[in-house]
């Protein structure tokens, strides 16, 4: 392979940045032979991922057009763009870009080759003003190999007698070939000697720029359009070496576009044909259901079956560089379970089971799941979120109840179920982070997931003949369920006065602190806010998260406390937009653009989330208001961007065209958000069935219908309760064998109660204090037989009047 040694000037180039996260399309071939995923926006290709869907390898690939009189036009900036899928549920795309001023028209058809990791782009160029001979068209490619824009090497060269544009970095190479001969080509450093700079400043490529090493590099090549040759096929191949990438690109060129597109479409048709018929036409004529199912399938791993990332995007990517390695192309266990629920609602139980199998493979030895991870299971962020540790239990039970996890198959997952349940009962109910990955404490959402998951795990253990541990899980669930209001329901606040209600559930209450009488009296740090504008009283922060108490079957939709909370949510967090009402995540949220439209960069102001409209619609359906739920479905769908992709957030202020922000349209956050598409599919299924699709039945039977009340309260070293209602037993739970040395009359009389170990390795004993009168104080300490020592600290629990 010939490589010209002439190195461009300007090394290493300007700091690398990613692209806008506002995608108009995402696609893949659904083929093990083609581990390649692509994204589009602004009429061009953006990030292309290889060989894993968490490894971005390009920033973008677009076209530049030059012409008479110094004419210079970059299609992504200087053209109007339209995008449409090949057909319903098939994420191959037709892109049409018409230049501002009506100078030229570019039509592209984009698929990946199902037989090899090659991105195929059929390009048709036509002049609207003048003739095609007046213009020159250049491909501009920005390699960002393996999640990094810096440290790449690019060059122009030949392989097997054909010219290529090459790049390599971190063990991956790419090669761009054209069916029409390349004209002038160059490799340069971005911002100094890249092809964009050369064409913009001089109208031609510098023939001396053939290599750019170890930097932020770009490749440019003139496509050999002529009067009789107005269609070119660009083949971008990927491999472990430049030679492999070039060979693959050549093979795809020789095959041609039509055979590749035919196989691509047929594969997607087969996938779509196996799903439930929940088809629905949106306002723009798009089949919104098939768009969502295609998004879910596009985000699945090939190398690691069952893994799926949260989004093939990097929020505010145009403002982020190599220090943001993960973006959203990471696996979040919560998002993954939501994705599995979307597949299950769409009738693909096989894929949902594959996701559960993957979750089993990445479960940590102590039973928890990482906050997020790469698709191979390597943990990324170090936080622990208790809802993520509980969600897989709900998925396993949903699969069991749907017939996809019969008793024989359930046995294969029993160790995962027991370990997860053990982790939840040992470390809950307080979470290290809520579902928004921010604060520690008592979260109504997390509590709902934990409790529902323990009940689900109990049923699965019963089905496996493990009745004693199942009973213990229900005891814990009952005890926690009894205290949800004590932990998270506030009354007599300023917000309740404003809304004309008695009280509401807060977003989160901090962990128990001896300095305050109740968790609800503490302060919560608001993340992503400027210094001095962070800590707020827990009672002042409201969130739609509390609706999870209905979604997971712990409280009735018409429970007065829920009704009050809905009023508080609407008073504080509802945002009326052209498409209908959407909601903010919580009071004072800082995760979003600044007021001037500048991108989130550690601080900002949260914007409305379409996902929350889907969750609210499920609440309305649970409350028997199907028409209201159907209206919110329309609002949800009208929040999508071009191409039907659902964003994480939408803009809620007057239009800012220079920032690409329009009222009610997607903001610069992640798009598509796979979780939102899963919620969309579940809502379609719920509306068809007339009931909330993923509502676990155990809590409904036990707490709403059965009115089950716990007879006890639990004291632990990680949850030192200070009082219990009169009439309750006091259970002490320890991590090692111990003797509880206790008194209810200020040590005048003493009792010793020895702990016993249960199936989860917890050492517990119930103190018979249920007959003690309010005002009594129980004082206790511990003797540790294993170490032959006393704790030498006294603890106390008061008896309150029956609540």
């Amino acid at each position: 392979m010939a490589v010209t040694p002439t190195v461009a000037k300007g090394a290493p180039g300007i700091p690398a940045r990613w692209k806008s996260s506002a995608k108009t399309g995402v696609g893949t071939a659904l083929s093990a032979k083609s581990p390649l995923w692509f994204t589009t926006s602004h009429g061009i290709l953006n990030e292309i991922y290889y060989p894993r869907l968490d490894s971005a390898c390009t920033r973008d690939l677009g076209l530049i057009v030059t012409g008479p009189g110094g004419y210079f036009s970059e299609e992504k900036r200087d053209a109007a763009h339209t995008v449409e899928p090949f057909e319903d549920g098939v994420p191959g795309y037709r892109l049409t870009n018409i230049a501002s001023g009506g100078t030229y028209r570019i039509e592209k058809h984009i698929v990946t080759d199902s037989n090899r990791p090659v991105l195929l782009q059929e390009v048709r160029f036509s002049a609207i003003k003048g003739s095609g001979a007046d213009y020159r068209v250049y491909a501009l490619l920005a390699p960002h190999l393996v999640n990094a824009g810096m440290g790449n090497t690019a060059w122009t060269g030949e392989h097997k007698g054909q010219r290529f544009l090459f790049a390599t970095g971190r063990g991956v190479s790419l090669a761009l070939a054209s069916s029409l001969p390349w004209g002038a080509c160059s490799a340069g450093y971005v911002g100094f000697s890249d092809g964009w700079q050369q064409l913009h400043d001089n109208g031609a490529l510098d023939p001396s720029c053939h290599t750019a090493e170890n930097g932020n590099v770009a490749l440019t090549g003139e496509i050999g359009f002529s009067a009789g040759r107005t269609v070119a096929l660009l083949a971008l191949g990927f491999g472990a070496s430049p030679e492999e990438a070039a060979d693959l690109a050549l093979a795809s060129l020789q095959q041609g576009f039509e055979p590749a597109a035919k196989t691509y479409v047929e594969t997607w048709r087969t996938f779509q044909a196996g799903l439930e018929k929940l088809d629905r036409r949106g306002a723009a004529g798009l089949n919104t259901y098939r768009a969502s199912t295609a998004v879910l399938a596009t985000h699945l791993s090939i190398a690691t079956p069952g893994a799926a990332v949260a989004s093939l995007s990097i929020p505010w990517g145009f403002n982020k560089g190599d220090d943001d390695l993960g973006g959203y192309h990471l696996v979040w266990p919560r998002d993954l379970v939501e994705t599995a629920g979307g597949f299950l609602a769409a009738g693909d139980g096989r894929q949902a089971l594959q996701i559960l199998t993957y979750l089993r493979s990445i479960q940590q030895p102590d039973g928890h799941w990482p906050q997020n991870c790469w698709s191979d299971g390597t943990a990324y962020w170090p936080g622990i979120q208790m809802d993520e540790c509980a969600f897989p239990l709900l998925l396993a039970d949903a699969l069991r109840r749907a017939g996809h996890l019969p008793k024989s198959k359930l046995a294969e997952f029993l160790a995962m179920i027991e370990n997860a349940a053990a982790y939840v009962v040992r470390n809950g109910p307080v979470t290290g982070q809520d579902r928004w990955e921010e604060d520690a404490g008592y979260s109504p959402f997390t509590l709902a997931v934990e409790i529902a998951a323990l009940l689900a795990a109990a049923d699965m253990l019963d089905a496996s003949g493990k009745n004693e541990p199942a009973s213990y899980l229900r005891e814990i669930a009952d005890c926690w369920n009894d205290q949800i209001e004590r932990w998270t329901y506030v009354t007599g606040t300023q917000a309740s006065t404003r809304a004309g209600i008695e009280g509401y559930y807060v977003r989160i209450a901090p962990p128990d602190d001896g300095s305050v009488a109740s968790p609800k009296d503490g302060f919560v740090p608001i993340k992503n806010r400027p210094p001095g504008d962070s800590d707020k009283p827990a009672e002042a922060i409201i969130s739609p998260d509390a609706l999870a108490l209905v979604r997971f079957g712990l409280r009735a939709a018409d429970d007065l406390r829920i009704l009050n909370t809905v009023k508080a949510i609407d008073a504080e967090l509802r945002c009326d937009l052209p498409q209908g009402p959407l909601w903010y995540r919580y009071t004072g949220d800082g995760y979003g653009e600044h007021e001037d439209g500048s991108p989130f960069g550690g601080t900002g102001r949260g914007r409305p989330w379409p996902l929350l409209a889907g969750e609210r619609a499920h609440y309305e359906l649970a409350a028997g208001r199907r028409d209201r739920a159907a209206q919110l479905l329309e609002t949800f769908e009208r929040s999508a961007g071009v191409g039907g992709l659902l964003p994480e957030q939408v803009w809620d202020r007057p239009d800012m065209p220079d920032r690409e922000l329009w009222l009610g349209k997607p903001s610069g956050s992640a798009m598509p958000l796979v979780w939102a598409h899963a919620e969309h599919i579940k809502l379609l299924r719920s509306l068809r069935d007339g009931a909330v699709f993923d509502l676990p039945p155990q809590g409904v039977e036990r707490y709403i219908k059965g009115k089950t009340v716990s007879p006890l309260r639990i004291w632990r070293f990680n949850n030192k309760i200070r009082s219990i209602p009169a009439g309750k037993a006091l259970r002490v739970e320890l991590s090692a064998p111990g003797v509880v040395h206790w008194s209810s009359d200020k040590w005048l009389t003493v009792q010793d109660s020895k702990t016993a170990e249960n199936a989860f390795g917890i050492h517990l004993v119930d103190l018979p204090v249920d007959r003690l009168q309010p005002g009594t104080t129980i004082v206790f300490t511990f003797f540790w037989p294993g170490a032959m020592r006393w704790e030498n600290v006294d603890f106390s629990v008061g008896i309150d009047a029956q609540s």
Side-chain angles (χ1 to χ4, degrees):
M1 180 179 300
V3 179
T4 307
T6 308
V7 178
K9 296 176 181 175
I14 62 174
R17 292 289 181 266
W18 294 99
K19 281 299 293 180
S20 165
S21 65
K23 308 306 179 189
T24 57
V26 292
T28 189
L30 294 180
S31 167
K33 297 177 182 178
S34 183
L36 199 67
W37 296 258
F38 69 90
T39 66
T40 67
S41 78
H42 298 83
I44 68 170
L45 285 158
N46 290 165
E47 291 94 356
I48 301 170
Y49 296 79
Y50 166 88
R52 304 187 332 195
L53 78 170
D54 52 17
S55 295
C57 286
T58 67
R59 178 181 187 269
D60 56 11
L61 170 57
L63 302 180
I64 292 174
V65 180
T66 64
Y71 181 81
F72 176 93
S73 175
E74 187 177 13
E75 59 172 344
K76 70 180 181 183
R77 290 188 176 94
D78 305 322
H81 315 116
T82 61
V83 57
E84 58 179 335
F86 281 5
E87 59 184 63
D88 289 345
V90 177
Y93 298 97
R94 300 183 188 91
L95 307 181
T96 302
N97 301 328
I98 299 177
S100 305
T103 312
Y104 62 81
R105 177 188 182 95
I106 294 172
E107 297 173 81
K108 304 176 183 178
H109 293 173
I110 300 174
V111 298
T112 57
D113 189 332
S114 301
N115 293 313
R116 53 190 70 87
V118 179
L119 191 290
L120 292 172
Q121 183 172 213
E122 187 180 68
V123 182
R124 181 184 300 272
F125 177 81
S126 55
I128 299 174
K129 293 182 178 179
S131 69
D134 295 332
Y135 302 96
R136 294 179 182 272
V137 182
Y138 300 84
L140 176 62
L141 171 63
H144 276 216
L145 289 159
V146 193
N147 295 326
M150 305 303 292
N152 296 296
T153 293
W155 70 96
T156 65
E158 292 190 2
H159 179 66
K160 295 184 176 178
Q162 182 145 338
R163 295 184 75 191
F164 283 87
L165 306 181
F166 289 105
T168 190
R170 286 159 289 281
V172 171
S173 297
L174 60 78
L176 179 62
S178 172
S179 63
L180 298 182
W182 290 117
C185 297
S186 81
Y189 293 102
V190 174
F192 292 95
S193 54
D194 62 90
W196 190 98
Q197 300 289 335
Q198 296 170 27
L199 293 170
H200 182 267
D201 296 344
N202 306 314
L205 294 179
D206 183 346
S208 70
C209 292
H210 286 291
T211 303
E213 299 174 341
N214 192 28
N216 180 13
V217 300
L219 288 154
T220 311
E222 182 185 354
I223 304 171
F225 289 117
S226 62
R229 306 169 83 181
T230 59
V231 179
L233 178 58
L234 300 182
L236 181 58
F238 293 83
S241 68
E243 293 85 357
E244 181 185 12
D247 282 338
L248 292 167
L250 276 177
S252 290
L253 274 186
Q254 291 166 359
Q255 174 186 254
F257 184 81
E258 288 305 322
K262 184 173 185 291
T263 302
Y264 186 95
V265 169
E266 287 175 349
T267 302
W268 276 99
R269 283 176 179 166
T270 300
F271 164 73
Q272 294 287 1
L275 303 180
E276 289 278 338
K277 303 299 187 286
L278 302 173
D279 300 75
R280 169 183 166 82
R281 292 285 166 194
L286 188 75
N287 188 321
T288 60
Y289 168 60
R290 300 295 172 176
S292 284
T293 55
V295 166
L296 263 61
T298 297
H299 285 76
L300 289 168
S301 172
I302 294 295
T304 312
V309 298
S311 178
L312 289 171
S313 72
I314 299 172
W316 299 282
F318 59 88
N319 196 48
K320 294 183 178 180
D322 290 356
D323 54 344
D324 194 301
L325 290 178
Y328 272 23
H329 45 271
L330 293 160
V331 178
W332 271 264
R334 170 182 45 258
D335 293 55
L336 188 55
V337 171
E338 299 284 8
T339 298
F343 278 114
L344 199 55
D348 193 347
R350 181 198 62 82
Q351 184 57 63
L353 182 58
Q354 199 164 62
I355 288 173
L356 184 68
T357 303
Y358 169 77
L359 283 165
R360 180 181 62 186
S361 76
I362 66 167
Q363 186 182 30
Q364 303 300 293
D366 65 357
H368 88 277
W369 275 271
Q371 179 180 0
N372 56 23
C373 62
W374 298 103
S375 60
D376 66 1
T378 303
Y380 188 60
W381 290 346
I384 293 182
Q385 300 167 11
M386 292 302 297
D387 68 315
E388 291 196 309
C389 302
F391 257 126
L393 294 170
L394 290 174
L395 174 57
D397 190 55
L399 284 163
R400 179 185 70 89
R401 290 184 284 106
H404 301 294
L405 207 60
K407 190 172 183 179
S408 59
K409 190 75 174 173
L410 181 64
E412 298 177 19
F413 291 89
L414 195 57
M416 182 203 86
I417 292 165
E418 290 179 309
N419 289 341
Y423 189 87
V424 172
V425 296
R426 283 198 190 104
N427 295 280
V430 167
T431 183
Q433 292 179 342
D434 63 347
R435 72 163 171 168
W436 305 122
E437 318 201 77
E438 295 179 355
D439 292 322
Y442 295 98
S443 156
F445 183 93
T446 301
L447 287 166
V449 177
E450 288 175 315
I451 294 165
L454 292 180
L455 295 179
D459 278 6
M460 290 185 284
L461 290 179
D462 270 342
S464 304
K466 299 200 170 191
N467 307 117
E468 186 176 337
S471 295
Y472 173 73
L473 295 184
R474 293 190 183 100
E475 288 176 347
I476 296 293
D478 294 347
C479 183
W480 291 355
N481 181 68
D482 265 8
Q483 298 178 85
I484 290 173
E485 284 71 33
R486 184 177 78 82
W487 290 325
T488 66
Y489 191 80
V490 297
T491 58
T493 70
Q494 292 181 3
S496 60
T497 300
R498 287 195 302 269
I501 55 177
E502 169 234 13
Y504 50 83
Y505 293 97
V506 298
R507 172 203 166 205
I508 194 166
D512 290 278
D513 183 341
S515 65
V516 295
S518 162
K520 297 176 293 192
D521 297 330
F523 283 76
V524 172
I526 304 294
K527 303 296 184 182
N528 308 314
R529 301 295 295 162
D533 187 27
S534 55
D535 284 8
K536 303 289 183 185
E539 68 175 31
I541 308 171
I542 297 168
S543 172
D545 287 6
L547 297 183
L549 297 170
V550 177
R551 182 72 172 265
F552 293 99
L554 308 188
R555 299 293 181 269
D558 61 354
D559 185 307
L560 180 59
R561 295 162 300 194
I562 293 291
L563 295 176
N564 285 339
T565 303
V566 169
K567 290 179 182 177
I569 290 167
D570 286 348
E572 300 283 333
L573 302 173
R574 173 172 163 150
C575 178
D576 290 312
L577 294 165
Q579 64 265 45
L582 294 180
W583 286 266
Y584 299 97
R585 294 194 303 175
Y586 58 82
T587 312
D589 183 13
Y591 183 59
E593 284 90 352
H594 293 268
E595 289 297 272
D596 64 358
S598 58
F600 173 79
T603 63
R605 185 173 295 276
R607 306 297 166 182
W609 285 53
L611 164 70
L612 298 178
E615 292 186 351
R616 178 60 174 266
H618 272 109
Y619 166 74
E620 297 293 342
L621 186 62
R625 294 185 286 270
R626 189 186 186 285
D627 289 348
R628 179 69 180 129
Q631 289 172 356
L632 285 169
L633 169 63
E634 292 184 11
T635 298
F636 195 3
E637 292 179 343
R638 286 198 296 266
S639 299
V642 177
L645 302 185
L646 291 166
E648 181 180 71
Q649 301 177 46
V650 300
W651 184 240
D652 57 351
R653 294 292 184 268
D655 295 350
M656 293 186 182
D658 58 322
R659 297 277 194 185
E660 296 190 355
L661 296 171
W662 290 272
L663 180 65
K665 300 298 183 183
S667 72
S669 56
M671 186 167 80
L673 185 66
V674 180
W675 179 6
H677 283 278
E679 181 72 2
H680 175 240
I681 294 167
K682 287 190 277 188
L683 182 54
L684 289 171
R685 176 68 182 267
S686 297
L687 285 166
R688 189 197 73 177
D689 296 351
V692 176
F693 172 74
D694 57 357
L695 172 65
Q698 294 92 346
V700 175
E701 292 298 321
R702 195 168 185 86
Y703 304 130
I704 298 176
K705 295 180 180 179
K707 311 293 185 185
T708 299
V709 175
S710 173
L712 54 83
R713 291 291 182 266
I714 299 170
W715 186 99
R716 297 174 175 174
F717 274 96
N718 67 345
N719 191 18
K720 301 184 185 79
I721 60 173
R722 291 179 294 278
S723 64
I724 63 173
K728 303 287 185 185
L730 175 63
R731 172 173 292 175
V732 177
E733 296 191 346
L734 306 173
S735 59
V739 176
V740 183
H741 186 70
W742 64 283
S743 172
S744 59
D745 56 9
K746 301 180 180 180
W747 298 115
L748 293 176
T749 60
V750 177
Q751 300 185 54
D752 286 331
S753 299
K754 185 178 181 181
T755 65
E757 185 177 8
N758 72 3
F760 295 101
I762 295 171
H763 301 264
L764 58 88
V765 62
D766 290 346
L767 306 185
V769 300
D770 52 305
R771 296 184 181 275
L772 295 179
Q773 295 300 307
T776 304
T777 298
I778 306 157
V779 185
F780 55 96
T781 188
F782 302 99
F783 178 74
W784 305 104
M788 292 300 291
R789 68 174 180 84
W790 286 91
E791 182 67 22
N792 288 327
V793 175
D794 286 352
F795 305 95
S796 64
V797 174
I799 305 294
D800 293 336
Q802 181 73 50
S803 60

